[in-house]
């Protein structure tokens, strides 16, 4: 079942992971037990995921993240919103992101 | 929209996706201390655990944190934390947590004697992301403490190992093959096979022991020389299953079987990582501590050391005629462990051939049929034909190779 995402909510990287930048890629390294399905692996984000992750600073509401991305990318607002919700659902499921 | 397509799992256990990027620091080893609570008969580095002078010289907590931070900023994914016994440092937990919070995996080398409930809890909550490596010196008290020369170390180590096992903290084991624990080897292997994280791999049991890395104890060096395996034993071990050995050799093209002339650094030392000793010296590898080849991190940065200093060291050429006439002319360099680090610990320079290493390599080559019983590889002129023949042979049938080459001498 898909996780309910509230566009009026603020989301931020979980303290249970460490996000690093290596060679312009965002690397997510588990910090505590129980992250991911293999604890000894690390994760990267695809280009879309990276663009969204960089804006999840724990200050902006998700709807503002969508607006900012819409002003930066030549893509329909609906498509951007769908991507943002899809991404946030996935990283919450992976315990990499939490709602504030 | 596909499921889970924003997040990509990277399998970094065996290789690093970024390791070929220029100036990328793939791995870093750091010795937190040279002190150890054991006094192993074969050890090339240990100092007494209460060595006040050594302790005084060690990097401080903040200095080690700075090294970790710099390493992470250079892309490092994994730090190997070793010693001496790294758990002797009172600040180990703080340093471990700091490294993990930087997003570094931490590979811990330990004798397990100081593993306690607090550490186990820490590893449970914040896993190292790579199996702890425990060296096991014996399965019985007499054999174990015959090696460690420390009363009570057997019980301490096995209590530590038991704590890891009970709490399912991933660890693997390795050992050293010494006369004192030889009788335990079969039992050790059988026990190791039951450790889930060994994943069916036979544990390593080292037979070759390097001399003192600091060239600080010639009496102990004499003992180490007595304890280390004969070249024949090491050669036999490395070619124990001929098929496996040939398979490994097949991965080398004939391009690697060639004399290296005055090139000293044919290894990967300093190319995508390096080692920091307990006092802040940045080295190409764990062996090479010649004062002219180490970079003082207390006076500069890890980046400067890695990007500027180590590449300069790698350019040093051999000048010793003994090296140039032997190692420089020898076609077996890719199966030989001769290196500046070995020359340093055995002779105190970078380019004196190490007879022990040479003997091992020649024994291996004879076993494989590449050279004859009395031949010296640096005197073999038709080495290209021999390697070609060897390569063809292992492609067709990995069995004994007849060596019909004639011996000739290089012009000196």
């Amino acid at each position: 079942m898909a996780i309910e995402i509230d566009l009026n909510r603020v989301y931020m990287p979980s303290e249970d992971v460490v996000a690093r930048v290596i060679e312009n890629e965002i690397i997510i390294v588990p910090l505590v037990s129980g992250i991911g399905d293999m604890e000894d692996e690390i994760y990267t984000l695809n280009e879309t995921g990276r663009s969204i992750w960089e804006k999840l600073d724990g200050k902006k509401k998700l709807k503002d993240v969508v607006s900012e991305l819409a002003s930066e990318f030549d893509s329909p607002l609906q498509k951007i919103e769908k991507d943002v919700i899809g991404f946030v659902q996935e990283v919450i499921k992976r315990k990499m992101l939490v709602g504030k | 929209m596909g499921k889970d397509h924003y997040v990509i799992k990277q399998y970094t256990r065996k290789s690093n996706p970024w390791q070929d990027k220029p100036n990328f620091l793939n791995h870093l080893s750091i010795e937190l201390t040279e002190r150890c609570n054991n006094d192993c008969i074969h050890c090339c580095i240990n100092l007494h655990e209460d060595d006040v002078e050594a302790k005084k010289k060690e990097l401080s907590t903040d200095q080690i944190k700075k090294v970790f931070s710099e390493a992470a900023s250079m892309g490092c994914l994994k730090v190997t934390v070793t010693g001496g016994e790294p758990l002797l440092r009172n600040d180990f937990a703080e340093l471990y947590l700091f490294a993990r919070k930087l997003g570094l995996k931490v590979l811990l080398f330990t004798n397990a004697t100081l593993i306690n409930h607090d550490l186990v809890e820490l590893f449970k909550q914040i896993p190292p992301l790579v199996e702890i490596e425990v060296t096991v010196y014996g399965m019985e008290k007499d054999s174990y403490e015959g090696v460690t020369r420390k009363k009570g170390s057997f019980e301490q180590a096995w209590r530590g190992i038991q704590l890891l096992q009970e709490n399912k903290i991933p660890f693997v084991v390795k050992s050293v093959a010494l006369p004192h624990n030889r009788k335990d080897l079969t039992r050790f292997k059988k026990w190791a096979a039951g450790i889930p994280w060994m994943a069916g791999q036979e544990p390593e049991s080292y037979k070759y022991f390097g001399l003192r890395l600091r060239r600080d104890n010639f009496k102990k060096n004499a003992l180490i020389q007595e304890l280390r395996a004969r070249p024949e034993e090491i050669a036999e071990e490395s070619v124990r299953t001929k098929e496996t050995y040939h398979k490994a050799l097949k991965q080398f093209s004939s391009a690697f079987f060639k004399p290296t002339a005055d090139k000293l650094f044919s290894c990967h030392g300093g190319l995508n990582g390096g080692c920091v000793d307990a006092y802040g010296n940045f080295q190409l590898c764990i062996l090479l501590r010649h004062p002219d080849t180490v970079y003082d991190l207390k006076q500069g940065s890890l980046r400067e050391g890695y990007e500027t200093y180590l590449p300069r060291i790698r350019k040093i050429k051999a000048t010793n005629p003994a090296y140039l006439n032997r190692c420089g002319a020898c076609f077996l360099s890719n199966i030989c462990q001769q290196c500046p680090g070995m020359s340093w610990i055995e002779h105190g320079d970078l380019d004196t051939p190490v007879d022990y290493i040479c003997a091992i390599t020649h024994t291996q080559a004879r076993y494989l049929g590449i050279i004859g019983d009395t031949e010296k590889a640096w005197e073999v002129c038709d080495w290209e034909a021999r390697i070609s023949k060897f390569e063809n042979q292992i492609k067709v049938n990995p069995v004994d190779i007849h060596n019909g080459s004639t011996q000739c001498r290089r012009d000196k």
Side-chain angles (χ1 to χ4, degrees):
Chain A
M1 204 171 127
I3 297 162
E4 200 70 26
I5 302 300
D6 180 358
L7 286 169
N8 282 308
R9 201 168 172 192
V10 174
Y11 291 89
M12 59 190 284
S14 164
E15 289 182 355
D16 292 344
V17 298
V18 181
R20 303 176 50 185
V21 178
I22 299 179
E23 294 290 329
N24 297 319
E25 276 200 79
I26 288 179
I27 317 294
I28 297 179
V29 183
L31 179 61
V32 302
S33 298
I35 299 292
D37 45 4
M38 272 184 71
E39 286 181 7
D40 54 355
E41 293 306 342
I42 62 169
Y43 301 84
T44 53
L45 305 177
N46 71 2
E47 209 175 318
T48 308
R50 183 188 169 161
S51 303
I52 302 167
W53 178 272
E54 283 173 337
K55 297 203 179 292
L56 297 170
D57 57 2
K59 291 173 190 161
K60 283 191 276 286
K61 288 180 179 170
L62 209 52
K63 66 179 183 186
D64 299 327
V65 170
V66 174
S67 304
E68 272 190 30
L69 289 166
S71 67
E72 290 171 21
F73 290 92
D74 185 20
S75 186
L77 187 68
Q78 274 182 323
K79 163 85 173 77
I80 289 177
E81 190 175 298
K82 197 178 170 188
D83 267 334
V84 168
I85 290 173
F87 173 75
V88 170
Q89 280 175 330
E90 185 181 339
V91 287
I92 284 178
K93 194 180 80 185
R94 289 186 180 274
K95 302 178 187 172
M96 295 169 178
L97 194 75
V98 290
K100 207 173 171 184
Chain B
M1 192 180 295
K3 198 185 168 196
D4 290 358
H5 73 302
Y6 299 101
V7 180
I8 303 147
K9 188 185 284 183
Q10 297 287 344
Y11 294 91
T12 55
R13 290 178 70 77
K14 289 189 177 161
S15 64
N16 187 318
W18 304 277
Q19 65 189 14
D20 296 327
K21 302 279 184 187
N23 299 328
F24 180 89
L25 186 76
N26 189 24
H27 64 86
L28 185 79
S29 289
I30 182 161
E31 291 165 359
L32 296 189
T33 179
E34 290 186 358
R35 295 173 295 119
C36 188
N37 52 345
N38 284 339
D39 181 23
C40 293
I41 48 174
H42 63 286
C43 188
C44 60
I45 191 161
N46 67 318
L47 298 175
H48 192 277
E49 63 182 306
D50 297 324
D51 189 322
V52 178
E53 286 308 307
K55 197 173 177 181
K56 232 188 278 179
K57 286 192 300 174
E58 287 169 9
L59 289 180
S60 67
T61 309
D62 285 344
Q63 284 170 323
I64 295 171
K65 285 181 177 176
K66 181 172 172 268
V67 172
F68 285 160
S69 298
E70 280 193 86
S73 76
M74 292 161 71
C76 186
L77 284 180
K78 183 175 81 179
V79 285
T80 300
V81 174
T82 180
E85 172 49 52
L87 299 183
L88 269 181
R89 292 266 312 209
N90 294 330
D91 55 0
F92 172 80
E94 182 181 348
L95 292 169
Y96 171 80
L97 206 52
F98 186 83
R100 287 291 293 108
K101 284 184 174 176
L102 286 169
L104 293 163
K105 297 180 174 191
V106 176
L107 170 57
L108 170 63
F109 286 179
T110 179
N111 59 29
T113 54
L114 299 171
I115 298 279
N116 57 27
H117 286 283
D118 289 345
L119 277 176
V120 162
E121 275 309 307
L122 178 63
F123 296 144
K124 268 166 86 172
Q125 285 173 25
I126 314 282
L129 301 184
V130 57
E131 293 89 354
I132 294 169
E133 289 195 17
V134 178
T135 308
V136 178
Y137 297 106
M139 303 298 285
E140 300 285 345
K141 185 175 173 64
D142 66 329
S143 47
Y144 191 100
E145 292 180 6
V147 176
T148 63
R149 300 189 290 194
K150 181 73 183 289
K151 210 172 170 190
S153 58
F154 175 74
E155 288 84 0
Q156 285 178 330
W158 282 92
R159 191 165 55 237
I161 290 167
Q162 199 180 353
L163 273 173
L164 294 175
Q165 279 179 313
E166 285 170 357
N167 289 280
K168 298 186 171 50
I169 306 294
F171 72 99
V172 294
V173 292
K174 54 195 177 187
S175 189
V176 287
L178 286 159
H180 309 70
N181 61 13
R182 192 164 288 151
K183 67 182 169 66
D184 295 356
L185 188 61
T186 308
R187 203 173 137 207
F188 170 64
K189 284 182 180 173
K190 198 174 166 191
W191 170 75
I195 298 171
W197 303 282
M198 292 299 290
Q201 293 285 310
E202 194 171 283
E204 289 190 69
S205 187
Y206 297 104
K207 284 185 171 172
Y208 167 74
F209 308 117
L211 302 185
R212 296 288 294 178
L213 297 174
R214 298 236 172 258
R215 298 179 52 75
D216 58 356
N217 189 337
F218 291 98
K219 197 174 157 193
K220 180 145 190 190
N221 275 352
L223 177 61
I224 295 170
Q225 278 170 318
E226 273 176 39
L227 290 169
R228 61 190 184 187
R230 290 176 296 110
E232 294 76 16
E233 286 177 86
I234 293 186
E236 274 168 27
E237 179 71 19
S238 64
V239 294
R240 191 155 50 107
T241 59
K242 194 169 272 190
E243 287 79 4
T244 311
Y245 190 63
H246 284 173
K247 200 175 160 190
L249 282 179
K250 273 165 95 170
Q251 290 168 3
F252 291 99
S253 82
S254 54
F256 292 101
F257 270 104
K258 63 182 178 186
T260 52
D262 61 354
K263 186 177 177 181
L264 262 182
F265 292 90
S266 302
C267 60
H268 289 93
L271 282 185
N272 51 16
C275 301
V276 179
D277 78 2
Y279 317 113
N281 295 306
F282 189 38
Q283 308 164 180
L284 278 160
C285 68
I286 197 162
L287 299 178
L288 189 53
R289 288 161 204 250
H290 189 295
D292 295 343
T293 63
V294 299
Y295 178 85
D296 186 357
L297 291 174
K298 296 192 292 302
Q299 307 295 324
S301 69
L302 188 70
R303 186 176 290 279
E304 162 80 13
Y306 182 59
E307 293 180 3
T308 309
Y309 186 82
L310 295 190
R312 205 185 309 149
I313 298 303
R314 283 188 62 86
K315 284 182 187 156
I316 295 174
K317 300 285 183 194
T319 54
N320 183 349
Y323 183 97
L324 295 170
N325 292 332
R326 277 173 60 175
C327 308
C330 181
F331 72 100
L332 298 174
S333 58
N334 81 318
I335 59 168
C336 182
Q337 299 297 312
Q338 168 70 40
C339 67
M342 293 302 306
S343 288
W344 158 248
I345 59 174
E346 297 266 345
H347 299 295
D349 61 23
L350 301 181
D351 56 1
T352 296
V354 176
D355 289 337
Y356 180 60
I357 299 293
C358 190
I360 293 170
T361 305
H362 276 71
T363 309
Q364 284 176 324
R366 282 184 197 115
Y367 191 94
L368 292 168
I370 298 173
I371 59 171
D373 285 347
T374 57
E375 284 184 307
K376 301 290 184 196
W378 59 86
E379 295 172 345
V380 172
C381 291
D382 65 339
W383 57 270
E384 285 167 298
R386 293 191 194 194
I387 293 305
S388 176
K389 184 179 170 186
F390 176 73
E391 281 189 320
N392 288 333
Q393 180 85 41
I394 58 176
K395 272 180 204 159
V396 178
N397 184 22
V399 293
D400 287 344
I401 298 148
H402 171 70
N403 173 19
S405 303
T406 52
Q407 187 176 354
C408 58
R409 288 187 175 274
R410 285 179 176 275
D411 292 333
K412 297 278 165 68

